[in-house]
Amino acid sequence: MHFIGPAAQPAEAVPSKVPIDSVEDFEGVKMRAPEGMVQSVFEAVGASPVNLPQSEVFTSLDKGVISASDATTLATNHSMGLHDVAKHPIWPGFHSLPLNEVSINKETWDSMSEEDREILDESVEWYAQELADRISARDEEVAEELRERDDVTIHTWSEEEKKKFRQIAQEQWQSYADRSENAQKVFDTLTEHLRSEGLL
């Protein structure tokens, strides 16, 4: 495969049935979270993460099987009706973001003209920016709609609480980095970039 480029969406919101305004508020909250590092981070902040496919999030929230979910962006959560059963969304998101990527068969890539390769590179860059812009705009529209509802409260975390959460997350990054040489390379590259940008 030849990797053409990434397409990141805005950070994910957390639909929740209970108010969560701090790291401490995650204590004991049963929530859906994807397996792996994401679950490890939520477990480290005191939540009780469980495995559930996205298709079961609405029903599980509605029936009280879970109280919160690491789902997707505010707008996408809203389109699935999650705010009808989880009326305390955390937004803007700060813990993770959906990431798409565009790749192509390496043999096909190698057989393409330079002009066609440039067209694909530019198209993926456009797609990534367009995707982020459209979802950000839709998130803002949904947030405005939710603010007008009496039964929904958007919970926006303070910078101090976001920093606490991210420090705990970084400890989990390190524990995953220790698992293999490649994981360590990813960790080193990521943290070096974030430090150079003043984001760590």
Side-chain angles (χ1 to χ4, degrees), residues 54-187:
Q54 183 72 24
S55 59
E56 294 179 20
V57 169
F58 178 91
T59 306
S60 298
L61 284 166
D62 188 35
K63 294 186 178 213
V65 174
I66 56 173
S67 295
S69 177
D70 174 16
T72 181
T73 62
L74 187 75
T76 306
N77 289 338
H78 191 63
S79 71
M80 293 186 292
L82 298 187
H83 302 125
D84 293 332
V85 293
K87 300 177 186 289
H88 294 276
I90 302 172
W91 184 82
F94 55 83
H95 69 289
S96 65
L97 50 91
L99 181 64
N100 300 337
E101 60 88 20
V102 181
S103 296
I104 189 170
N105 177 282
K106 180 78 165 72
E107 194 175 307
T108 301
W109 177 262
D110 289 344
S111 71
M112 293 169 64
S113 69
E114 190 60 37
E115 182 183 5
D116 285 345
R117 288 182 193 174
E118 286 177 16
I119 289 170
L120 269 177
D121 283 337
E122 290 172 11
S123 296
V124 170
E125 284 182 24
W126 175 86
Y127 159 69
Q129 190 60 54
E130 184 73 6
L131 181 69
D133 290 347
R134 284 188 186 194
I135 294 176
S136 292
R138 183 65 186 129
D139 274 358
E140 293 290 346
E141 290 171 7
V142 167
E144 196 56 41
E145 183 182 328
L146 293 176
R147 288 186 190 106
E148 292 174 5
R149 285 175 51 173
D150 294 333
D151 63 333
V152 175
T153 303
I154 294 176
H155 296 262
T156 300
W157 276 29
S158 69
E159 289 304 314
E160 181 184 352
E161 286 302 318
K162 287 190 274 190
K163 184 176 179 181
K164 278 188 208 173
F165 186 96
R166 288 173 174 153
Q167 286 173 333
I168 292 168
Q170 287 170 47
E171 294 167 11
Q172 296 304 310
W173 296 354
Q174 183 62 68
S175 72
Y176 276 77
D178 294 340
R179 296 181 183 191
S180 75
E181 187 178 329
N182 281 338
Q184 187 66 54
K185 283 181 187 176
V186 171
F187 173 81

